[in-house]
């Protein structure tokens, strides 16, 4: 009991409580930034160093690191400095990770121009010269269905190769012939 009263008078109990509250507020900000993405865009600094995720990570690590240091008997000023270092490192890590995740999401999109030379399977017969059928193929683990036209009739179940794109959803194809079939 005497230690608690001494900690109250020398400020470490108060400082530890403040650091704990900062850490809890950081966790709440992180939860809001993940669970309610887009709701707080007015307060969000975008994908930069002042995004809600980055600020939340900084506050969480700063608060809990400083709180733990004060609890371990480290003087309040040094605890705040160690908390700030941990917060900056954690904030930078959160910023880097979210930026990397957003960049990865946009790099795997399938476009018809990237499909030229790919093989697919006819799922709806293609009438030669004047109509469209349908082909299906898998690219980046994603099933893609496209309207397809050809200069000759191609029955359902035939493997085809995409020779060029006509639009964002249609392609021109030819029957696929493997190297073994050409001999």
């Amino acid at each position: 009991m005497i230690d608690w009263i001494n900690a109250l008078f020398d400020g470490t109990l108060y400082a530890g409580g403040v650091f704990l509250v900062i850490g809890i507020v950081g966790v709440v900000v992180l939860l809001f930034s993940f669970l309610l993405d887009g709701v707080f865009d007015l307060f969000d600094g975008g994908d930069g160093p002042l995004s809600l995720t980055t600020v939340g990570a900084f506050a969480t690590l700063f608060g809990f690191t400083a709180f733990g240091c004060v609890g371990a008997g480290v003087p309040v000023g040094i605890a705040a400095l160690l908390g700030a270092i941990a917060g900056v490192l954690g904030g930078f890590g959160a910023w880097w990770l979210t930026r990397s995740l957003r960049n990865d999401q946009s790099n795997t999109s399938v476009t018809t121009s990237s499909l030229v030379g790919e093989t697919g399977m006819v799922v709806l017969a293609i009438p030669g010269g004047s109509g469209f059928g349908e082909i299906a193929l898998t690219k980046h683990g994603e099933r893609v269905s496209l309207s397809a036209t050809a200069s000759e009739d191609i029955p359902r179940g035939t493997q085809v190769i995409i020779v060029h794109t006509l639009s964002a959803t249609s392609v021109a194809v030819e029957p696929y012939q493997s190297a073994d079939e050409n001999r």
Side-chain angles (χ1 to χ4, degrees), residues 4-64:
W4 186 82
I5 293 172
N6 287 336
L8 183 61
F9 286 123
D10 73 6
T12 56
L13 182 65
Y14 176 74
V18 168
F19 291 141
L20 181 61
V21 168
I22 290 171
I24 291 170
V25 167
V27 168
V28 170
V29 168
L30 275 174
L31 287 174
F32 278 144
S33 74
F34 289 133
L35 299 177
L36 302 175
D37 188 30
V39 173
F40 295 104
D41 282 346
L42 177 65
F43 306 108
D44 199 351
D47 289 336
L50 294 179
S51 69
L52 282 178
T53 305
T54 305
V55 171
F58 171 83
T60 300
L61 287 168
F62 169 76
F64 290 142

Side-chain angles (χ1 to χ4, degrees), residues 51-135:
S51 69
L52 282 178
T53 305
T54 305
V55 171
F58 171 83
T60 300
L61 287 168
F62 169 76
F64 290 142
T65 300
F67 174 73
C69 288
V70 167
V74 175
V76 174
I78 295 173
L81 179 64
L82 293 172
I85 291 169
V88 166
L89 291 174
F92 177 77
W95 171 69
W96 177 82
L97 184 61
T98 55
R99 197 180 84 204
S100 296
L101 290 173
R102 289 183 201 263
N103 288 341
D104 283 346
Q105 289 175 350
S106 63
N107 288 342
T108 59
S109 62
V110 176
T111 61
T112 52
S113 62
S114 70
L115 295 175
V116 173
E118 295 289 327
T119 59
M121 189 68 62
V122 176
V123 293
L124 183 61
I126 302 171
S130 64
F132 283 91
E134 184 177 336
I135 66 164

